[in-house]
Amino acid sequence: MQILESQNNPIAEKSYTQEDWQGGYKSLTQEYDYWIDEIEGHIPLELQGTLFRNGPGLLDINGQRLHHPFDGDGMISRITFSNGRAHFRNRFVETDGYLAEKKAGKILYRGVFGTQKPGGWLANAFDFKIKHIANTNLIYWGQKLLALWEAAEPYLLNPQTLETLGKEYFNDVLSPGEAFSAHPRITPDGKLVNFAIKPGPTTTITIFELNSNGEIISKQNHNIPGFCFIHDFVITENYCIFFQNPVKFNPIPFALGIASAGQCIKVQKNQPTKIIVIPRVNSKAAQDGVKVLETKAGFIFHHVNAFECGNQIVIDSICYESLTEVEPNSDYRKTEFEANAPGQLWRFNLDLLDNKVQSQLIDNRSCEFPTIHPTNVGKPYRYLYAAAAHYPIGNAPLQAILKLDLESDTREIWSAAPRGFMGEPIFIPRPNSQQEDDGWVIALVYDAEYHRSDVVILNAQDFQKGTVAKLHLKHHIPYGLHGSFTPETFI
Ligand code: FE2
C-alpha cells in the first residue's frame, strides 16, 4: 500500500493485527540457497552487489521458547543482485553456543534479555556464562565478512558460502571475549570506526579505528563514571559521541537466577542523559579533553548521523521517552504497542563552548532503523530513511518506510500495511550518482498473508510510484536487526 503524507490522517483503527505481527516471530530452521524467481517489477541492472542481513533466526530451541528475540541465534540472509537477477542464501552463524544447543536439543544458556535454562531459578543461579549469539549486524570490511554482537568479538564468515570460520581478533588486537560493538560507522575517507563498552561501576569505552584493509590502526580507552548501556554512537570529523542514558544495574536478581542481566537494568527517569564527546585520534581535536554535556532523560538505541557546525555538534537520533523494560514473566509477542512510548526523531545541538544542549522533536512518527547515504556519515546531510509506523502518530509496529527531507521539512511514506511488517531499510546509491537521494531503498518485509518475506526495492527519489521490484522469497525470515550492502557480488 502506498500513502501520501497527510497531517490530518485520523487514526480510526489499527493498521495491523497482533496475530499477523506475531507471524514474523517464528523460527526459521531451514537453510536455503536459490535464485529468486517470483518477482514483481524489474530489478535495476545498475543494482549490482550484495545485501547482507543479520538477525535472530531461532525464537525457540527445539520448542523451548526464548524469552526475547534479542536472545535468538544469529542467522545471516544474503541477497545478491547481479545483472537484473537476485540470489538468496541464508545460514546460521555457527557459534559455540548454537552448535552446543543444536546437539543437545535444548536451552543450555541464559540469555541477556531473559531466556533462562529450564528448571527455575535454581538451575540458573550463579551461572554467569554468556552465550555469544552473533545476531546483530553484519559488515563486509577489509575483505572480511564479520557477524557482530556488541558484547564480544566478531565471528568471521566466508562471504561465498556463509560458512563460519571462527572468531576475529584483528591480529590479536582484541583479546578473547573482548567486545566490539554491532554499530560501526564508516567515514567518507574510508576508515571504519567502532567502539566497545565494558560496563561496571566505572565503564570503559574503547574506540577502534580500522583502515580499509581491516586492520585496527588505533585503540583508545576512556573511563566514564557510572554504568553504561550504550548500543550505538555517532562520529564527526573530529569526535566520537556517546549518549549515556540514565540507567542503573542491580546484579543481585541476575546472580540469584531470578532475572537476566538485561532485566536488571532499570531506567532512572529523574536523572539526565549524559552526552560524552571524545576527540578522535589524529584529529584536530585530539589534544582536547573529553567533554560531558547533559540533556533530558530518555533512551536511545540508534542514532541517524552527526556533523560539526562551527562550535556546535548536531546529532539526529531516535529517542524514546523511556526504555521499555523486559519483565521476567512477560511475553514479547503480546506487546501492547499503544501502551509504550514510540521512538521519535530528535535533533540535539551541542554547544561545545558553553556546554549547553538544545533538543528538538523533528517528527512525531514512530520510527526505527535509520539510514542515510553512506558518504554523508559524520557530515551535513539532507535525506534520511527509516522504518516507520503506518500512521503519523501513536506507537505501532514498523510497517512503512519514511523518507525525510531535512532541508525542506517534507516527508514521503511507502507502507506495506495492513499485512506487511518492515525491517531495516538500507539506502544504496546509484553508481556515479550526483544527487544525495539518487539510489534505491531496499528492505525485507514480512508478509503475513503468505507467511513469507519480500525484498522490496524503492526508487529513493520516487516513493509515490511504489516498488521498483518486489522479490518474493519462498519462506519467511524472522524479523531481523541490521545489515549492510557491498558492491561486490557473492553468489
Ligand atoms: Fe542496533
Side-chain angles (χ1 to χ4, degrees):
M1 183 196 291
Q2 172 212 322
I3 54 174
L4 293 177
E5 186 58 17
S6 161
Q7 292 303 314
N8 303 311
N9 196 349
I11 300 177
E13 56 189 24
K14 284 185 181 181
S15 61
Y16 66 101
T17 69
Q18 196 87 0
E19 195 181 8
D20 275 357
W21 173 74
Q22 288 170 350
Y25 277 128
K26 293 196 168 83
S27 295
L28 178 69
T29 51
Q30 202 171 331
E31 295 178 326
Y32 293 87
D33 185 355
Y34 61 92
W35 285 96
I36 301 169
D37 55 15
E38 217 182 315
I39 297 172
E40 291 176 46
H42 296 282
I43 300 170
L45 283 171
E46 292 168 287
L47 176 58
Q48 298 275 337
T50 308
L51 177 68
F52 289 110
R53 309 274 331 144
N54 197 353
L58 295 183
L59 286 308
D60 69 288
I61 307 291
N62 210 18
Q64 293 177 352
R65 191 170 71 78
L66 303 184
H67 189 76
H68 196 280
F70 292 173
D71 286 338
D73 289 299
M75 187 197 76
I76 307 308
S77 298
R78 186 188 69 189
I79 299 110
T80 309
F81 301 101
S82 174
N83 302 321
R85 300 178 71 201
H87 181 272
F88 177 85
R89 184 159 191 180
N90 71 308
R91 201 157 170 180
F92 279 88
V93 186
E94 295 186 342
T95 63
D96 298 337
Y98 168 79
L99 292 172
E101 288 186 329
K102 191 176 179 185
K103 193 174 170 195
K106 62 180 182 180
I107 294 173
L108 298 175
Y109 299 88
R110 303 176 75 187
V112 174
F113 291 92
T115 302
Q116 298 271 60
K117 294 185 289 182
W121 69 271
L122 261 179
N124 290 277
F126 303 106
D127 181 354
F128 302 114
K129 277 198 304 287
I130 290 182
K131 180 189 176 191
H132 190 329
I133 45 178
N135 72 356
T136 313
N137 202 349
L138 195 64
I139 50 164
Y140 183 69
W141 185 255
Q143 299 183 323
K144 290 173 184 169
L145 183 62
L146 301 171
L148 305 177
W149 182 64
E150 68 192 29
E153 64 278 79
Y155 266 89
L156 180 67
L157 311 175
N158 178 330
Q160 301 285 353
T161 63
L162 301 184
E163 180 190 2
T164 302
L165 302 174
K167 291 174 179 171
E168 173 65 34
Y169 296 105
F170 303 102
N171 294 323
D172 295 327
V173 178
L174 290 191
S175 50
E178 188 173 349
F180 191 78
S181 106
H183 277 289
R185 301 267 170 183
I186 295 169
T187 66
D189 64 349
K191 290 197 190 82
L192 183 142
V193 186
N194 199 12
F195 70 98
I197 299 293
K198 192 176 177 191
T202 296
T203 294
T204 304
I205 298 178
T206 305
I207 298 170
F208 308 93
E209 298 213 4
L210 284 74
N211 63 17
S212 57
N213 294 323
E215 298 158 334
I216 293 178
I217 51 173
S218 73
K219 180 180 181 183
Q220 50 165 329
N221 291 327
H222 298 273
N223 289 327
I224 304 295
F227 181 84
C228 285
F229 176 23
I230 298 177
H231 175 71
D232 191 10
F233 78 141
V234 267
I235 60 170
T236 64
E237 190 183 345
N238 295 296
Y239 300 99
C240 294
I241 304 113
F242 300 85
F243 278 52
Q244 184 185 14
N245 296 128
V247 293
K248 71 171 181 183
F249 180 69
N250 171 12
I252 294 170
F254 174 52
L256 296 179
I258 299 164
S260 70
Q263 290 163 339
C264 295
I265 296 173
K266 300 293 172 195
V267 177
Q268 305 287 287
K269 283 184 185 167
N270 298 324
Q271 302 288 320
T273 288
K274 290 182 178 163
I275 304 176
I276 303 158
V277 182
I278 303 177
R280 287 178 58 191
V281 289
N282 301 325
S283 71
K284 277 186 273 178
Q287 300 308 316
D288 300 347
V290 174
K291 274 184 185 276
V292 180
L293 290 77
E294 290 189 353
T295 186
K296 67 183 180 70
F299 197 86
I300 292 168
F301 281 107
H302 298 121
H303 301 283
V304 185
N305 197 20
F307 57 91
E308 294 170 29
C309 185
N311 294 314
Q312 294 216 339
I313 298 177
V314 180
I315 303 168
D316 294 336
S317 311
I318 310 290
C319 192
Y320 296 80
E321 207 172 283
S322 183
L323 172 68
T324 303
E325 292 174 359
V326 185
E327 300 298 336
N329 298 316
S330 62
D331 182 344
Y332 68 87
R333 297 168 303 177
K334 295 184 177 145
T335 296
E336 284 183 50
F337 284 91
E338 295 74 15
N340 294 324
Q344 293 168 313
L345 183 65
W346 284 76
R347 172 160 282 193
F348 298 89
N349 287 77
L350 279 54
D351 191 316
L352 297 183
L353 282 185
D354 66 7
N355 277 1
K356 293 262 169 54
V357 181
Q358 286 188 327
S359 59
Q360 175 199 350
L361 180 67
I362 297 180
D363 199 289
N364 268 311
R365 188 184 295 265
S366 170
C367 64
E368 253 302 349
F369 299 132
T371 182
I372 63 168
H373 192 296
T375 62
N376 285 337
V377 172
K379 290 167 46 178
Y381 71 113
R382 178 170 177 180
Y383 299 106
L384 71 87
Y385 312 85
H390 178 76
Y391 288 125
I393 56 170
N395 193 26
L398 304 170
Q399 294 191 281
I401 302 176
L402 166 71
K403 177 188 180 184
L404 182 52
D405 180 343
L406 293 160
E407 198 173 293
S408 66
D409 195 28
T410 54
R411 292 125 177 88
E412 279 189 272
I413 280 280
W414 181 82
S415 176
R419 305 205 70 183
F421 296 88
M422 190 60 62
E424 177 192 62
I426 302 263
F427 175 81
I428 302 168
R430 190 187 305 276
N432 306 314
S433 58
Q434 301 297 315
Q435 290 164 303
E436 188 183 320
D437 62 346
D438 186 6
W440 306 278
V441 180
I442 302 189
L444 277 170
V445 177
Y446 170 66
D447 181 353
E449 184 174 2
Y450 299 98
H451 185 54
R452 71 180 176 195
S453 295
D454 295 333
V455 182
V456 297
I457 305 172
L458 296 172
N459 178 344
Q461 290 185 319
D462 196 353
F463 273 28
Q464 292 186 40
K465 273 208 179 121
T467 53
V468 173
K470 192 186 268 188
L471 289 54
H472 302 298
L473 301 183
K474 298 179 189 300
H475 47 84
H476 85 298
I477 297 173
Y479 296 128
L481 294 168
H482 302 290
S484 58
F485 180 82
T486 172
E488 291 198 42
T489 51
F490 296 106
I491 298 171

